[in-house]
Amino acid sequence: EGQHQVSKDQLVLQPEAVAPARACEASSAKVGELPERATSVVLQSWQQVKLVGLDSVGEMLRINTLAIDSEAVKLFRVPGIVSTGEGMLQRMALRHLCSKVVRFVGSVVAGRYDYLRLVETLNKLGATRAAGGAREEHFEVLKQGLDITLREVLGDAYTEEVQHAWMTAYSFNAAIMIEGMRSAQGSMTARTA
C-alpha cells in the first residue's frame, strides 16, 4: 500500500484498479450487507482514500475534528506525547493516530478485517481512552470530522450510500471503543470506591 501525495483533482480511478472484496474468513464479518452495486462504489471510495494517502487524510481528519471541538484531542491523549494537540510533534502524532482511525474504518468499509482481532484491539483502545479523559461525546465529534473529511476527499463520489457505509463502519468501531472505555471507567470507579 504505497502512499503518494495526490490532490483529489488528480484522481481518476479505473474500474480495474479496484480489487473486489475478498470473501470473509470464518472469524471475519461484514458490517451490514450492501447491494453488489453499492459494494463496488464503497470499495472504490476506500481505494480513492488510500490513493490520496492515509497520512494526508489523517491530517485532514485531525484538522476537521479539532475545528469542531478542540476537546476531542482527549480521544488521542498519549502521556508524554499528545496532551493538547499543539506543537509540531503533537500534531504529527495526532495525524498518525487519525490516519489509524481512517485505516480501521476503511478496513471495515471494505469488509477486510478479522472480526475477533478488531473487537479486541478496539476494546483495548477504548479502555486507554478513559485514562486520557475522553468522553463519549468526543466520538460523535470525530464522526462529524470524518464525514467532513470524506466529503472533501471523495467529492461527488461521496454519495448517500457511500456516506452510509462509512458512517455505519465508524459507528461500529466507535461502539466497541465506547464499551471498552465504559468498562475501564467502571474498573477505575470500583478501585477508588
Side-chain angles (χ1 to χ4, degrees):
E1 282 184 309
Q3 295 181 4
H4 14 308
Q5 301 295 320
V6 180
S7 76
K8 72 176 189 170
D9 297 328
Q10 295 172 309
L11 290 175
V12 178
L13 291 180
Q14 302 300 321
E16 61 273 8
V18 181
R22 293 183 297 196
C24 293
E25 298 173 15
S27 64
S28 299
K30 285 187 179 181
V31 174
E33 289 297 319
L34 298 170
E36 201 55 43
R37 181 176 104 23
T39 301
S40 174
V41 171
V42 170
L43 283 173
Q44 190 170 2
S45 72
W46 174 227
Q47 293 301 324
Q48 190 171 348
V49 166
K50 291 192 300 184
L51 282 173
V52 170
L54 295 178
D55 283 341
S56 296
V57 177
E59 176 65 3
M60 293 170 72
L61 177 57
R62 179 191 72 79
I63 291 167
N64 288 329
T65 300
L66 296 181
I68 296 167
D69 183 357
S70 62
E71 287 292 306
V73 74
K74 292 178 181 177
L75 275 175
F76 301 102
R77 278 212 175 123
V78 178
I81 300 173
V82 176
S83 57
T84 63
E86 298 299 321
M88 186 174 73
L89 290 177
Q90 288 194 42
R91 284 192 304 271
M92 288 172 55
L94 273 173
R95 179 184 63 217
H96 177 73
L97 293 170
C98 286
S99 69
K100 283 187 170 187
V101 169
V102 174
R103 181 185 302 276
F104 275 113
V105 177
S107 295
V108 172
V109 162
R112 296 181 180 163
Y113 61 95
D114 177 314
Y115 179 78
L116 297 176
R117 185 173 176 199
L118 179 72
V119 169
E120 180 182 346
T121 300
L122 292 175
N123 206 300
K124 286 178 183 175
L125 283 171
T128 64
R129 299 306 88 208
R135 296 188 318 265
E136 290 184 30
E137 307 88 72
H138 296 141
F139 287 94
E140 184 58 34
V141 172
L142 183 59
K143 181 179 183 178
Q144 293 170 18
L146 180 62
D147 190 38
I148 292 166
T149 300
L150 291 169
R151 189 169 310 285
E152 290 172 354
V153 169
L154 299 173
D156 291 341
Y158 196 53
T159 63
E160 191 174 310
E161 58 193 335
V162 170
Q163 179 187 33
H164 176 74
W166 279 88
M167 295 301 103
T168 300
Y170 173 83
S171 295
F172 172 78
N173 287 357
I176 297 167
M177 289 184 69
I178 289 169
E179 186 56 39
M181 192 172 76
R182 286 178 183 161
S183 294
Q185 288 168 336
S187 295
M188 287 189 284
T189 303
R191 279 184 272 174
T192 59

